[in-house]
Every structure is written in structure tokens, then in C-alpha cells.
Amino acid sequence: MGWTRKILRVDLSKGTCKSEPLNMEWAQQYLGQRGLATKYFVEEVDPKVDPLAPANKLIMATGPLTGTMASTGGRYSVITKGALTGAIACSNSGGYIGAELKMAGWDMIIFEGKSPKPVYLWIQDDVAELRDAAHLWGKTTWDTEEIIKSSHHDPQVRVCSIGRAGENGVLYACIVNDLHRAAGRSGVGAVMGSKNLKAVAVRGTVGVSGIRDFKAFMTATTAAKKVLADNAVTGQGLPKFGTQVLMNVINEMGALPTRNAKDVQFEGARKISGEAMHEKRLSDGKANLITNAACFGCTIACGRISQVDKNHWSVVNNPKYWGATGGLEYEAAWSLGAADGVDDLDALTVANMICNEDGFDPITFGATVGAVMELYSMGVLTKEQIGIESPFGSAQALLEITRMTAEGRGFGKEMGLGSARLTAKYGHPELSMSVKGQEFPAYDPRGIQGMGLTYATSNRGACHLRSYTVASEVLGIPVKTDPLVTEGKPALVMAFQDATAAFDSSGTCIFTTFAWSLVDLAPQIDAACDGGWSVERLAELGERIWNMERVFNNAAGFTAKDDDLPARLKTEPAKTGPAKGLVSGIDKMVPEYYQLRGWNKAGVPDKETLARLGL
Amino acid sequence: MQKSLHIDPSKCTGCLQCEMACSYENYGVFNISRSRIKVFNFEHEGRKVPYTCTQCAEAWCMNACPVDAIRIDAATGAKVVHEDACVGCKVCTIACPFGTVNYVADTGKVQKCDLCGGDPACATACPTAAITYVDADWTGLDKMRQWAGKTDTQPRASA
């Protein structure tokens, strides 16, 4: 059990919704969410498919612990071929909609084809139907959610939707749920938009009863919650400061990519840090942070709820942004802040709100602004082309470019390409801080070497959430490793990648892994699901998923040369801080990583490796 | 000694563990739509507020029930719905000033908090102590103490 054993297949071209039994053989091999949905995806979709073509599919999937009392058991993932990357995409989100989908009785939804006109999917328990979304097209995610709730006369409906970014083909558009949670990366929202699918609205009243052994499950989840509560990171640091607990720490390490990674330390870091969010503003005597917030089932509660000064220049005539809403997480504070040299906390908060409101990934967006600011400083892009003077550090430029991107206006259309395509268009592809077309986030591989290998080998393009070796290299979890060396990192990255794939397939949040290992996860899954789930089985599951994703990417056309970092990180040494003089040692790490993975020198899994994993 | 549920909204994160615990305790299923405690999210104020029956001493619901289906549990003081007697007339839901007795269409009966027989699952499940189960005579005293601490904050001149 653990699964509802039911999936919903939505053919957008024909306008049909059909229930199918879950493939239980695959569930035993791939568990749920990321693993199981990717299995369905690779079985059903040609790896060469154009991500924005009707033949691409998009899957929304829950895990066996989604909708249960397991801490953080509210996650769902969106699996498709990424619009930004052309690689397998898997974007994970919290909030409440994942649990609602499970409580309506569904393990996953597979969307295929393309609707001839804008529609949204309405699910009320076992009833699922496509409804006209003409009145929602052109609306923000915030308005869409409100209109749907009000038209169904039910405030308890949960909604995920695309904003104007997803409609306008911004290649890093995301799918936003519960106002400020998002399946954020790789452009899953652009794929949804290409299918004329505006939103999914769910009301679930069936509940989750398919737990193999309720008594064992309550014992296991209660014990695991205590582990989270007793841990300094998940019990104290994250609730108080959110992921923003890292801003000052990473800056001091000399690993905060600044001004499009020209620098590794940002002089304005303190002003945009988690600590600064707690401090009272000089202007109105109030703090940026209102409170922390949890996603469904989460006993950590790292989420930020913020409110900006009503008289801040960015919102002074715009009451829409005066209320409390989702605040800055570390990655967004970095991408909108340090990556662009901007240190105005309220301006960053507003830019982040607009990313939520119109649904685009602040990491890729902010990093692309950084590349644009560098092109501007070189004279390649001008004020006339962009529409505003755009030197590094300009909060005004950041806000105006954010609005243009949200509305698909002027230079915003070019912003929607992401940094790889945009810099190539203007003759400077080397200025895109990306891997496989996706921008890397807030950890500089010159100062945290393991993250270089993490970015280079991530199956969804550069990303911190595929193997967060920061845990080990910075925080000492599970053991402290030296961030400045490459030795031992290939094995570390591999272990993190496999464990993360297991967590991503369970329905729980990866942030639990500051305190949990597979030893904590296994008893919870085993109590929920048939089949005997041990630590070893979960580790192997992770490795199987990783290789399955790799095989898909290889078939999609990716090769070993795509497992690399931007030249800047390999040739321009860190100028300041503990990593001063260092570049990324990526070239030393990749061959060893391939060997450990059981892949050949071209990065292709050996036949023996695939056979061992049952692929 | 009688005890009460004590709710401190400032500590609530909106995780809904209480709603799941309630539905599991009473129906053996994780189903927040069946929970007798509800967390309301006042999004634009950044406030989340758990809310449920306060077990009024002079309970309107109990007095209004025409078939005597709501009775006092002598041990806990909870006003308990006896489903075998409830006819689903909903008069109690109208009588309750706070909206904490709710009709369930599936069963044709009403439901409300019964303090789980003296060990409320919501309070046990709450990870932040936003919901606690305290001595009824202490209700409000925490808040009183908080305000007391705010008075007379001027430093005293030494004699």
C-alpha cells in the first residue's frame, strides 16, 4: 500500500480524462513521485521530442508518504522534458496541493497532447474533467487561484497554475501552487503552457487510508519527527532563518557567486541575509519577515512570510504588494541579489513576489539578469536595447526587467530565453553561468568544489538539489569534508545523488536530510508500503533512478562534454576569501565519477551497470 | 481536574499535523476534510489560526439538540455527539456561536471535538506547542502573564 494505486491520464488533444490502475510492478522498482513518474515518462516519450511539442508529456506525481502524517509528507513533483534544458526535468514542490491530490485518491496525473484551447483540470475526488479556461488565460497565478476558488465556491480547493510567463513561453516558467510554492526549475511551466493547460484545481475528501501498518507507521513517523526537532539545522536554524541562514555563511566562505560569478564574495550580503530579514527597517520600524510557515505536514517550517515597506519605491503606488506573502529563500535572495550585485532587501522581496505571481524561476531569472548586466557593462547591450540603464547593483533595473519578463513586454521577451540562449544571441555564450542550459545556483564551485561536480553531472541541468554536498562540505553532515579540495568528492556526490533520488521518490522533502538519512526514511516507507523497504533497497532505488535519467539524457543527445562547467569557473580564480586563487577542479573529478558510477569514458552507463540495476 | 485545549496562533506554522491527527484518531484515515480542528490561513496578514470547539460550560449546541444527542463526558467535560442518537437536524450548528459543530453529509450526522476522551491527538501532534492541553483553570493566565510582563517597564530610580 502507500499508493492509491490509481493514476489519471488526461489526453488534452481529445479532452478526455481516464482512470488507470498504477503499475504495481514499477511501483516496487521506482517507489513513487520522481522515480515512478520518470519510469512512466521514459517508457512513453521519445527522448528526442521537442519539449514544447504536443508529443512531450507532463506528469504530476505524489509519493507514498504524500498526504500522510510523515513530516514534510506533502510533496509532489512535475516530470517532463525540460523546456529550458531539453533534459529530463523533475521539479519538486511543497505547499498543499500534492497532499490534496493524494487525498482525492490519485497517485499521479499524466498529461498528454495539447488542448485546442485554454483549459484547466478540475478534480473532485474520483471526478476529473477539463474545463474552459478562457477567462483565466492572461491572468497571474494569484488571480487564477482566487478565481477558481471563488467559482467553485470552495476556499479549500487547492490550485497549481502557470502565470503569464508560462503562457508566453518563458523557457524557465514554473508551476506555482498555493500562491508561493513552485515546481520551479527547468521550465516545467513552459511545457504546461505549450499544452494550453492553465491550471489544475483539486479537492480531495477521500483521504489516505492505504497504509500497510498504521501502528508501525505512527511509531516510525513520530520517531523521525523527533530526529528533526532535536537537530540544530532542522529544529532551530531553518525555522528561524529559513534557507537564508546560509547567506552570511556562504559569503564568508568565499563561495557566493557575485555579479555573474566575477566575484565570490558580495559586500552587500549581510544586508540581504536571513539575519537582515529579522531586523527592523529604518524606514518604517518593521521587519521584512512576518513569520515562518510550513508546507503540508512539515514539522520544520522553513518557509518565509514577508511584508515590504508600503512606502518602498518599488511598491509605493501598488497595494497588491503590500500584504504578507512568500518571502525570500536563500537561492532567490542570491540570484536576485548577489548575482546582480543588488543589496536592497525589499526590492529583492518584490522581485521574488513577481516571480511567484507570474510564475518564473527566480534562480534562472536572476542569473540571467546578472549576465545581462555584464553584457551591459561591456557595452554589448545598451540602455536602448534593454529599456533601462542596467549596471550591476541597480535595483531599479532588476525590478523593471522583472516586470518586463512577467508581462512579456519589450526586452522581457529576450529575458525569457534564459542566459544560455540570450548570451549566445549576443555573441558571448561564455557569460552564461549554466550547465545543460540551466543556470547554477548560489554556491560557487571554486569555494565549494563538490558543488562543481554536482552542477556538471546533474541530470536536470545545473542544480543544488540533486546532490547537496554543501551539507557535508559546509555543515559537516553527515561528515565534514574540506570544501576546497576535489579528493573524495566524486564518491560524495554519487552518494548524495542516490540518496536524494530516493527521498524525491517518497513524498518527503529533501530538507529533512539535514537530520535524516535513509536510515530514518526506510522505516516510514516500509510501514506505509508493501514490499519490504530497507536502507539498501532505497539506496539501490536511488542509483537505478539516477541511471534511468542518465540513459534518457544520453538518448536525447547529451554527451560527456555537457558534464562541464562554464569556462569562468575553470580559468578565473577566486579573487578573495578562503578560496582565493582557486578554480574549480571539475576536470579532475568527472573521470573518477564516471568510473565510480560504472560508466564508460563517454559517460555512458556500462551494460553491466544497467543489468545490475535492472534497467 | 478539568483541562482545556489552549491555542496560541502565533506559534502555528500551518503544517496541518493537527488536522491529520484528528482525522486519524476519529476515523482511522489521514483526511483533513474530516478533521474537527481546522487551521485557517489569513494569507495577507501572515497569520495561521487553529480553531475548534471550546467546550462551553453552558453549551448552546447541547441545549439546542432536540434529541439529546450531545451529552457531557463527565471525565473530561467535553460535549460529545452521540451518533446513534443524532438525527442530523443541524440545529446545533445554528445554535453554536462559533461554527465549531459541523454537519457531515456522508454520515448524515454532525461532528465536533470531543477532546479524544482526555488525550487530544491534535495537541500531541502539534510540533510547535501552538495547541496544548492545559488545566482549565489556567485558561488565559499565560496571556495575562505576558501582558503583566509588559507593564511598568520603566527603569526604577534607586532609592
Side-chain angles (χ1 to χ4, degrees):
Chain A
M1 302 294 267
W3 304 273
T4 70
R5 299 172 180 244
K6 213 170 71 171
I7 68 176
L8 177 63
R9 189 176 292 275
V10 178
D11 187 326
L12 291 159
S13 301
K14 293 182 192 153
T16 56
C17 301
K18 283 183 186 153
S19 171
E20 284 179 17
L22 184 69
N23 185 321
M24 292 311 294
E25 195 184 322
W26 289 354
Q28 285 296 329
Q29 287 173 303
Y30 298 93
L31 190 56
Q33 206 177 350
R34 174 174 163 188
L36 189 52
T38 305
K39 174 64 177 171
Y40 271 92
F41 189 83
V42 302
E43 290 287 337
E44 296 187 9
V45 180
D46 175 1
K48 301 269 187 207
V49 73
D50 172 356
L52 299 177
N56 193 10
K57 297 189 183 184
L58 183 140
I59 304 179
M60 295 181 176
T62 64
L65 301 187
T66 306
T68 72
M69 272 184 87
S71 184
T72 78
R75 311 295 302 189
Y76 92 106
S77 288
V78 180
I79 287 82
T80 186
K81 184 172 174 178
L84 184 68
T85 55
I88 191 80
C90 172
S91 293
N92 183 309
S93 184
Y96 300 94
I97 194 168
E100 197 75 24
L101 181 62
K102 187 78 172 283
M103 289 191 177
W106 302 98
D107 286 318
M108 65 170 88
I109 313 170
I110 301 177
F111 294 99
E112 48 194 40
K114 175 183 178 175
S115 171
K117 61 184 177 79
V119 288
Y120 74 98
L121 176 65
W122 165 245
I123 297 175
Q124 184 165 29
D125 295 337
D126 54 351
V127 176
E129 56 196 37
L130 290 167
R131 300 226 174 154
D132 181 58
H135 63 300
L136 300 172
W137 207 252
K139 295 279 193 285
T140 68
T141 65
W142 293 354
D143 290 341
T144 299
E145 183 167 331
E146 192 180 316
I147 294 168
I148 288 177
K149 282 180 174 176
S150 119
S151 67
H152 287 278
H153 307 289
D154 188 350
Q156 295 179 95
V157 170
R158 304 291 186 185
V159 178
C160 69
S161 67
I162 56 167
R164 289 176 292 183
E167 296 174 11
N168 294 336
V170 169
L171 292 175
Y172 46 92
C174 43
I175 301 171
V176 175
N177 59 282
D178 304 292
L179 302 178
H180 42 74
R181 310 311 308 180
R185 300 224 69 192
S186 313
V188 295
V191 174
M192 188 160 156
S194 75
K195 298 187 173 304
N196 273 331
L197 178 63
K198 178 67 180 176
V200 177
V202 189
R203 183 76 171 97
T205 66
V206 178
V208 175
S209 54
I211 298 293
R212 184 181 67 79
D213 180 342
F214 262 111
K215 200 172 164 216
F217 186 74
M218 295 305 278
T219 304
T221 54
T222 302
K225 283 173 194 167
K226 184 164 184 332
V227 172
L228 292 177
D230 291 345
N231 180 279
V233 178
T234 50
Q236 296 159 37
L238 284 173
K240 176 152 193 202
F241 295 110
T243 53
Q244 272 274 63
V245 70
L246 287 168
M247 182 62 76
N248 287 322
V249 176
I250 302 296
N251 189 48
E252 277 158 31
M253 288 185 69
L256 188 69
T258 298
R259 287 175 284 266
N260 206 32
K262 284 154 67 84
D263 298 300
V264 294
Q265 288 183 307
F266 180 40
E267 63 286 354
R270 195 197 58 76
K271 291 168 75 177
I272 61 171
S273 66
E275 288 83 349
M277 289 170 73
H278 276 275
E279 289 165 11
K280 286 178 180 170
R281 285 181 290 252
L282 289 175
S283 55
D284 65 352
K286 294 177 183 162
N288 175 283
L289 186 74
I290 301 293
T291 182
N292 66 328
C295 295
F296 182 92
C298 175
T299 57
I300 303 172
C302 75
R304 304 290 91 184
I305 301 295
S306 283
Q307 193 164 17
V308 298
D309 181 353
K310 290 173 189 170
N311 290 312
H312 187 270
W313 55 267
S314 62
V315 297
V316 68
N317 293 315
N318 213 337
K320 187 165 56 160
Y321 302 110
W322 290 356
T325 185
L328 291 166
E329 317 287 341
Y330 170 60
E331 310 300 332
W334 161 79
S335 64
L336 302 166
D340 309 333
V342 178
D343 64 4
D344 180 334
L345 184 64
D346 272 5
L348 304 188
T349 306
V350 174
N352 189 56
M353 285 181 196
I354 297 171
C355 288
N356 288 332
E357 185 188 16
D358 265 309
F360 50 108
D361 170 20
I363 300 180
T364 283
F365 170 73
T368 303
V369 173
V372 165
M373 286 178 166
E374 186 163 2
L375 288 169
Y376 176 87
S377 72
M378 293 160 62
V380 176
L381 281 172
T382 64
K383 179 191 167 189
E384 288 65 38
Q385 284 168 295
I386 303 172
I388 183 169
E389 287 181 19
S390 304
F392 280 117
S394 170
Q396 283 78 9
L398 171 70
L399 258 298
E400 177 57 14
I401 295 171
T402 309
R403 288 194 197 96
M404 288 193 291
T405 307
E407 294 159 19
R409 147 172 77 80
F411 189 72
K413 294 196 188 87
E414 306 213 18
M415 283 301 300
L417 297 171
S419 71
R421 290 170 177 85
L422 189 148
T423 55
K425 180 174 174 181
Y426 290 100
H428 289 276
E430 76 282 3
L431 295 185
S432 171
M433 296 300 120
S434 60
V435 178
K436 300 181 179 72
Q438 178 159 285
E439 293 71 9
F440 65 75
Y443 314 88
D444 197 299
R446 292 167 289 199
I448 307 177
Q449 293 284 337
M451 290 307 282
L453 187 61
T454 287
Y455 298 158
T457 59
S458 162
N459 286 329
R460 68 170 188 175
C463 164
H464 57 298
L465 293 171
R466 285 298 172 270
S467 45
Y468 195 67
T469 59
V470 173
S472 167
E473 297 178 275
V474 180
L475 303 170
I477 301 166
V479 287
K480 183 76 173 77
T481 52
D482 183 349
L484 300 179
V485 304
T486 57
E487 286 74 29
K489 296 302 162 59
L492 185 73
V493 166
M494 192 172 91
F496 269 81
Q497 285 173 338
D498 293 349
T500 300
F503 273 91
D504 284 348
S505 303
S506 72
T508 62
C509 175
I510 193 63
F511 287 4
T512 57
T513 60
F514 289 114
W516 289 355
S517 68
L518 293 178
V519 173
D520 303 281
L521 183 64
Q524 302 184 72
I525 295 181
D526 188 52
C529 302
D530 300 324
W533 292 88
S534 63
V535 170
E536 295 70 30
R537 197 171 163 202
L538 287 174
E540 190 190 69
L541 166 90
E543 189 182 2
R544 182 180 301 126
I545 293 167
W546 192 264
N547 279 274
M548 168 173 64
E549 293 171 340
R550 178 74 182 192
V551 168
F552 178 88
N553 280 352
N554 285 344
F558 289 92
T559 65
K561 74 174 176 22
D562 298 300
D563 296 337
D564 202 357
L565 294 177
R568 171 165 283 169
L569 303 176
K570 303 199 291 177
T571 59
E572 298 178 24
K575 293 175 198 159
T576 60
K580 187 175 174 181
L582 285 183
V583 294
S584 166
I586 186 66
D587 295 338
K588 279 183 278 182
M589 292 186 280
V590 170
E592 186 188 339
Y593 171 84
Y594 284 179
Q595 202 180 9
L596 288 172
R597 274 275 175 222
W599 298 353
N600 69 18
K601 285 179 181 166
V604 176
D606 295 334
K607 274 189 187 143
E608 298 75 36
T609 304
L610 297 180
R612 177 172 58 80
L613 296 168
L615 287 166
Chain B
M1 182 185 69
Q2 214 167 76
K3 296 178 89 175
S4 294
L5 280 175
H6 178 72
I7 291 175
D8 180 353
S10 72
K11 290 181 179 164
C12 178
T13 63
C15 73
L16 309 190
Q17 284 281 347
C18 56
E19 296 195 14
M20 277 184 287
C22 181
S23 64
Y24 175 63
E25 176 73 22
N26 291 296
Y27 304 104
V29 55
F30 300 129
N31 186 356
I32 56 175
S33 72
R34 297 298 300 276
S35 175
R36 301 165 182 183
I37 185 166
K38 291 278 174 202
V39 178
F40 294 92
N41 186 355
F42 298 90
E43 185 68 34
H44 297 295
E45 300 165 31
R47 288 203 314 138
K48 297 174 174 73
V49 185
Y51 206 76
T52 190
C53 173
T54 58
Q55 314 293 346
C56 305
E58 285 289 329
W60 277 270
C61 60
M62 191 169 68
N63 290 336
C65 181
V67 293
D68 199 22
I70 301 178
R71 299 167 216 156
I72 299 180
D73 177 329
T76 63
K79 313 303 173 294
V80 179
V81 176
H82 290 257
E83 285 206 358
D84 51 349
C86 175
V87 295
C89 73
K90 312 179 199 69
V91 169
C92 56
T93 70
I94 300 163
C96 174
F98 308 107
T100 54
V101 193
N102 307 106
Y103 180 68
V104 181
D106 282 352
T107 59
K109 316 280 181 184
V110 295
Q111 66 170 21
K112 68 178 287 300
C113 172
D114 61 4
L115 296 178
C116 299
D119 183 13
C122 55
T124 307
C126 179
T128 62
I131 306 167
T132 49
Y133 193 49
V134 300
D135 182 346
D137 287 344
W138 273 81
T139 308
L141 282 187
D142 275 352
K143 202 180 284 180
M144 201 168 161
R145 188 176 187 283
Q146 234 171 31
W147 282 103
K150 288 183 187 174
T151 60
D152 194 20
T153 53
Q154 293 300 316
R156 289 168 194 277
S158 52

